[in-house]
Amino acid sequence: MSLLECTGEIFKEKSYRQAVKGTAPAAPTRGCQALPGEVPALEAAFAQAQTAPSLAEGRRARHSGSGLGEGELPAAPCAPPLPRQRAPSSPTLLPRASREGDSSRQDRGPSPHQDCGHPWTAGRLSGCADSHTRFPQLPEGASLLWLCTPEMAAPKVAVVGAGVIGLSTALCIAETCPSCSVMVLSDQFSPNTTSDVAAGMLIPHTYPGTPIHVQKQWFKETFTYLFAISNSAEASEAGIHLVSGWQVFKNTPKEELPFWSDVVLGFRPMSEAELQKFPQHRFGQAFTTLKCDCPPYLLWLEKRLKATGVQMYTRKVADLWELHSEYNIVVNCTGIGAHQLVGDEKLFPVRGQVLKVHAPWVKNFIRDGDGLTYIYPGIHRVTLGGTREKESWSLSPDPGATKGIFDRCCSLEPSLRGAQDIKVKVGLRPSRQCVRLQREVLSQGGVKLLVVHNYGHGAGGFSVHRGTAKEAARLVGECIAALQGSSSRAKL
């Protein structure tokens, strides 16, 4: 097969059209032959190919009725591969076990300067990639269109942050964009994240700057996802279970029917008999919702990520731009860390202190309507809360707050006086008027880095985490499409 014949086929395949002017390979070469007399014909073939049907279209026409399914194509003819020389790579970094028996989290990601992994189509013509062996050259004065036909390499996506938002976002990206290479980078993993402190109760908190219908969609997608897990054999491992209880008010609220009332199960006003349990309250709502025991759920997410091929690395990212040479897309799920990482002045901490106690007889949740006092029973421990201290960065437990939380919860459920093994936890809720869920393009010196932000969930992160993760994955898909479009234009 001559080089002209090989190249004529490739010219017609619209997916592979990157032409580079250069000197011609000497004849013969492995798999294809090029003769100096073919040069004018090659250049004419390239011009003709712009209006010719693609190989894919031709193969579809030739094989209609052949038994192939819709969208299936027979394999394209392909010449033997040319030898490739491997580019020097960075020293291999040894995995760091974050806990005994777990070597999946490593200190840093793989070097971006590894051998090019581009697959090649018919002819395997090269010469414009430094990581591939060049052809020998023809005598001086010979001219030819070289055709390099690499497919776009799998986009590399870095998700920065390993709380519930980061892990669930990485999982959604891996599920919806299987062609991606996804990695999670964080200086802290469970049990040392803010998410490990969270109560994990699916009762939404309102974001003033986000439309209600969007918040409801996020909550509904999260509830549906976790409800399916709660009905599976993995419910115990994932720490997810249904819990029924009451939300009580000292005065009737303006909205007796919250926007999420038709998402949770069995929502109804409390009866007079039920309200007798809470003599200081005049109105209440009864319903069943979901509760996540946070540390088990984070470990379950990590397990799912490993199963899908996502890698996790312990790495402190001080500036998103430091990742531009290693990754095509960066997803910022750093929570309160985004205040410093991207200089978001709209993001502020709301300090939360809670108690984790052993009180296995408590089976129903109780939440005061103002959201400051709550009792959330988990599988193994009961979470008592809490505090909301805006603009406080302190992670040190406050003994006065501990006593106040315990006394308030005992006023709602007196049996808690018998609770034992009381542990105090503190976390900083990453709060904004609205969740920052958007694309951004960073640029320095003409070089661009595509970024997707997904942070600022405040006290309601667990209630909407899956919904916002799906939206972030959709934005990553848009970034990938933009990269592919840019790559196609560069080839033309």
Side-chain angles (χ1 to χ4, degrees):
M1 185 178 192
S2 75
L3 183 59
L4 174 58
E5 291 169 327
C6 263
T7 309
E9 285 292 291
I10 302 169
F11 280 152
K12 295 177 185 177
E13 184 63 75
K14 293 179 181 177
S15 300
Y16 309 102
R17 297 185 294 182
Q18 182 179 11
V20 181
K21 277 281 188 180
T23 18
T29 62
R30 181 179 178 184
C32 299
Q33 299 182 19
L35 301 175
E38 290 181 328
V39 172
L42 278 169
E43 294 177 337
F46 181 81
Q48 180 183 359
Q50 305 311 302
T51 57
S54 69
L55 279 181
E57 292 166 348
R59 291 202 300 274
R60 285 192 182 95
R62 291 196 299 271
H63 292 273
S64 59
S66 63
L68 292 173
E70 182 179 354
E72 293 183 45
L73 295 174
C78 200
L82 290 168
R84 304 195 317 184
Q85 60 188 20
R86 187 172 291 275
S89 59
S90 301
T92 303
L93 293 163
L94 297 176
R96 184 192 72 79
S98 55
R99 54 181 176 272
E100 185 176 354
D102 182 1
S103 60
S104 62
R105 300 173 185 162
Q106 302 178 19
D107 290 324
R108 291 179 67 89
S111 166
H113 307 296
Q114 295 178 350
D115 180 30
C116 174
H118 290 158
W120 302 81
T121 59
R124 303 301 207 279
L125 305 177
S126 185
C128 61
D130 291 338
S131 58
H132 291 273
T133 302
R134 296 178 180 275
F135 284 99
Q137 306 301 304
L138 275 180
E140 184 178 356
S143 174
L144 181 64
L145 273 174
W146 284 4
L147 185 69
C148 176
T149 62
E151 296 172 355
M152 179 180 172
K156 290 187 175 182
V157 180
V159 177
V160 185
V164 68
I165 302 300
L167 297 182
S168 55
T169 298
L171 184 58
C172 281
I173 295 170
E175 290 172 347
T176 60
C177 308
S179 63
C180 289
S181 172
V182 183
M183 299 184 188
V184 176
L185 310 177
S186 182
D187 59 338
Q188 297 291 340
F189 286 83
S190 183
N192 300 314
T193 72
T194 299
S195 297
D196 286 282
V197 180
M201 197 74 171
L202 265 70
I203 300 177
H205 293 252
T206 303
Y207 303 105
T210 302
I212 290 297
H213 74 275
V214 174
Q215 298 183 54
K216 183 174 183 178
Q217 182 65 24
W218 292 344
F219 179 60
K220 184 175 182 179
E221 289 174 345
T222 303
F223 194 96
T224 301
Y225 178 73
L226 295 180
F227 185 72
I229 298 173
S230 74
N231 283 335
S232 75
E234 297 184 53
S236 178
E237 181 185 0
I240 300 171
H241 62 105
L242 288 166
V243 59
S244 300
W246 308 279
Q247 180 168 243
V248 293
F249 301 82
K250 292 180 179 178
N251 297 296
T252 303
K254 293 180 180 179
E255 292 184 352
E256 297 186 23
L257 206 63
F259 71 83
W260 44 266
S261 60
D262 60 344
V263 178
V264 298
L265 308 179
F267 186 94
R268 60 176 175 81
M270 288 174 63
S271 66
E272 291 294 330
E274 289 172 312
L275 281 171
Q276 290 180 11
K277 178 175 173 61
F278 309 100
Q280 297 180 0
H281 297 77
R282 300 174 55 186
F283 180 82
Q285 300 155 339
F287 55 93
T288 299
T289 187
L290 289 156
K291 167 83 167 64
C292 288
D293 281 14
C294 303
Y297 183 59
L298 295 177
L299 295 180
W300 181 84
L301 285 173
E302 288 187 17
K303 180 179 177 181
R304 290 289 302 273
L305 287 169
K306 295 171 193 174
T308 59
V310 175
Q311 296 176 298
M312 287 164 276
Y313 298 92
T314 300
R315 175 174 174 177
K316 173 69 174 179
V317 177
D319 187 337
L320 294 181
W321 189 254
E322 72 185 57
L323 303 174
H324 83 278
S325 63
E326 302 171 64
Y327 301 95
N328 304 106
I329 303 166
V330 174
V331 186
N332 175 20
C333 301
T334 54
I336 196 62
H339 185 273
Q340 180 175 356
L341 182 63
V342 298
D344 188 345
E345 297 297 329
K346 296 180 181 179
L347 181 70
F348 56 90
V350 175
R351 181 183 180 275
Q353 181 169 315
V354 299
L355 312 181
K356 307 280 186 176
V357 306
H358 182 69
W361 59 88
V362 176
K363 302 297 183 183
N364 297 104
F365 76 83
I366 305 170
R367 182 180 190 271
D368 196 300
D370 61 11
L372 288 178
T373 305
Y374 47 85
I375 301 165
Y376 294 152
I379 296 175
H380 301 294
R381 302 181 71 82
V382 180
T383 300
L384 310 182
T387 65
R388 290 186 183 176
E389 302 167 61
K390 188 176 179 179
E391 299 288 358
S392 174
W393 291 86
S394 174
L395 288 172
S396 301
D398 179 351
T402 298
K403 183 179 184 305
I405 292 168
F406 191 72
D407 289 344
R408 295 198 315 271
C409 288
C410 286
S411 70
L412 290 176
E413 180 54 69
S415 69
L416 283 170
R417 291 289 178 189
Q420 298 184 8
D421 191 20
I422 300 174
K423 290 182 168 58
V424 183
K425 301 288 184 180
V426 179
L428 303 180
R429 303 178 181 100
S431 301
R432 296 174 97 250
Q433 285 293 103
C434 62
V435 176
R436 188 179 185 192
L437 190 49
Q438 62 181 167
R439 290 171 54 185
E440 183 181 17
V441 180
L442 303 182
S443 180
Q444 289 188 19
V447 180
K448 296 181 179 180
L449 175 65
L450 300 180
V451 176
V452 172
H453 298 285
N454 184 17
Y455 68 85
H457 297 70
F462 267 89
S463 293
V464 297
H465 72 274
R466 178 71 181 188
T468 60
K470 288 180 67 175
E471 176 64 13
R474 186 188 68 80
L475 295 176
V476 169
E478 291 181 359
C479 291
I480 293 171
L483 286 172
Q484 292 173 337
S486 175
S487 176
S488 298
R489 288 190 295 272
K491 291 176 183 178
L492 287 173

